[in-house]
Short mmCIF file of all heavy atoms in Angstrom, two decimals:
data_model
loop_
_atom_site.label_atom_id
_atom_site.label_comp_id
_atom_site.label_asym_id
_atom_site.label_seq_id
_atom_site.Cartn_x
_atom_site.Cartn_y
_atom_site.Cartn_z
N PHE Z 45 -21.11 2.01 26.84
CA PHE Z 45 -19.87 1.29 26.52
C PHE Z 45 -20.18 -0.12 26.05
O PHE Z 45 -19.59 -0.60 25.07
CB PHE Z 45 -18.94 1.25 27.74
CG PHE Z 45 -17.73 0.41 27.49
CD1 PHE Z 45 -16.65 0.94 26.79
CD2 PHE Z 45 -17.66 -0.91 27.91
CE1 PHE Z 45 -15.53 0.17 26.53
CE2 PHE Z 45 -16.55 -1.68 27.66
CZ PHE Z 45 -15.48 -1.15 26.97
N ALA Z 46 -21.08 -0.80 26.74
CA ALA Z 46 -21.42 -2.18 26.36
C ALA Z 46 -21.99 -2.23 24.94
O ALA Z 46 -21.67 -3.14 24.16
CB ALA Z 46 -22.40 -2.78 27.36
N LEU Z 47 -22.83 -1.27 24.60
CA LEU Z 47 -23.39 -1.24 23.25
C LEU Z 47 -22.31 -0.96 22.20
O LEU Z 47 -22.29 -1.58 21.13
CB LEU Z 47 -24.51 -0.20 23.16
CG LEU Z 47 -25.76 -0.52 23.96
CD1 LEU Z 47 -26.71 0.68 23.98
CD2 LEU Z 47 -26.46 -1.75 23.40
N GLY Z 48 -21.40 -0.04 22.51
CA GLY Z 48 -20.29 0.24 21.60
C GLY Z 48 -19.38 -0.97 21.43
O GLY Z 48 -18.93 -1.28 20.33
N ALA Z 49 -19.11 -1.66 22.54
CA ALA Z 49 -18.28 -2.87 22.46
C ALA Z 49 -18.97 -3.96 21.66
O ALA Z 49 -18.31 -4.73 20.94
CB ALA Z 49 -17.95 -3.36 23.87
N LEU Z 50 -20.29 -4.01 21.75
CA LEU Z 50 -21.05 -4.99 20.96
C LEU Z 50 -20.90 -4.70 19.46
O LEU Z 50 -20.67 -5.61 18.66
CB LEU Z 50 -22.52 -4.95 21.37
CG LEU Z 50 -23.45 -5.93 20.68
CD1 LEU Z 50 -23.09 -7.36 21.07
CD2 LEU Z 50 -24.88 -5.63 21.06
N VAL Z 51 -21.02 -3.43 19.07
CA VAL Z 51 -20.85 -3.05 17.67
C VAL Z 51 -19.42 -3.36 17.22
O VAL Z 51 -19.19 -3.92 16.14
CB VAL Z 51 -21.20 -1.57 17.45
CG1 VAL Z 51 -20.83 -1.10 16.04
CG2 VAL Z 51 -22.67 -1.33 17.72
N LEU Z 52 -18.45 -3.00 18.05
CA LEU Z 52 -17.05 -3.27 17.74
C LEU Z 52 -16.81 -4.78 17.56
O LEU Z 52 -16.20 -5.21 16.59
CB LEU Z 52 -16.15 -2.73 18.85
CG LEU Z 52 -14.67 -3.14 18.83
CD1 LEU Z 52 -13.99 -2.64 17.59
CD2 LEU Z 52 -13.98 -2.61 20.08
N GLY Z 53 -17.31 -5.57 18.49
CA GLY Z 53 -17.11 -7.02 18.41
C GLY Z 53 -17.78 -7.64 17.20
O GLY Z 53 -17.20 -8.51 16.54
N PHE Z 54 -18.99 -7.17 16.88
CA PHE Z 54 -19.66 -7.69 15.69
C PHE Z 54 -18.88 -7.32 14.44
O PHE Z 54 -18.71 -8.15 13.53
CB PHE Z 54 -21.09 -7.15 15.60
CG PHE Z 54 -21.80 -7.61 14.36
CD1 PHE Z 54 -22.28 -8.90 14.26
CD2 PHE Z 54 -21.97 -6.75 13.29
CE1 PHE Z 54 -22.92 -9.34 13.12
CE2 PHE Z 54 -22.61 -7.17 12.14
CZ PHE Z 54 -23.09 -8.47 12.06
N GLY Z 55 -18.39 -6.10 14.38
CA GLY Z 55 -17.62 -5.66 13.21
C GLY Z 55 -16.36 -6.48 13.02
O GLY Z 55 -16.07 -6.93 11.91
N VAL Z 56 -15.61 -6.72 14.08
CA VAL Z 56 -14.38 -7.50 13.99
C VAL Z 56 -14.69 -8.94 13.60
O VAL Z 56 -14.03 -9.53 12.72
CB VAL Z 56 -13.59 -7.46 15.32
CG1 VAL Z 56 -12.45 -8.46 15.32
CG2 VAL Z 56 -13.05 -6.05 15.56
N THR Z 57 -15.71 -9.53 14.22
CA THR Z 57 -16.05 -10.92 13.93
C THR Z 57 -16.53 -11.08 12.49
O THR Z 57 -16.10 -12.00 11.78
CB THR Z 57 -17.15 -11.41 14.90
OG1 THR Z 57 -16.65 -11.26 16.23
CG2 THR Z 57 -17.51 -12.85 14.64
#
Side-chain angles (χ1 to χ4, degrees):
F45 174 81
L47 292 171
L50 182 67
V51 172
L52 169 62
F54 178 76
V56 169
T57 302

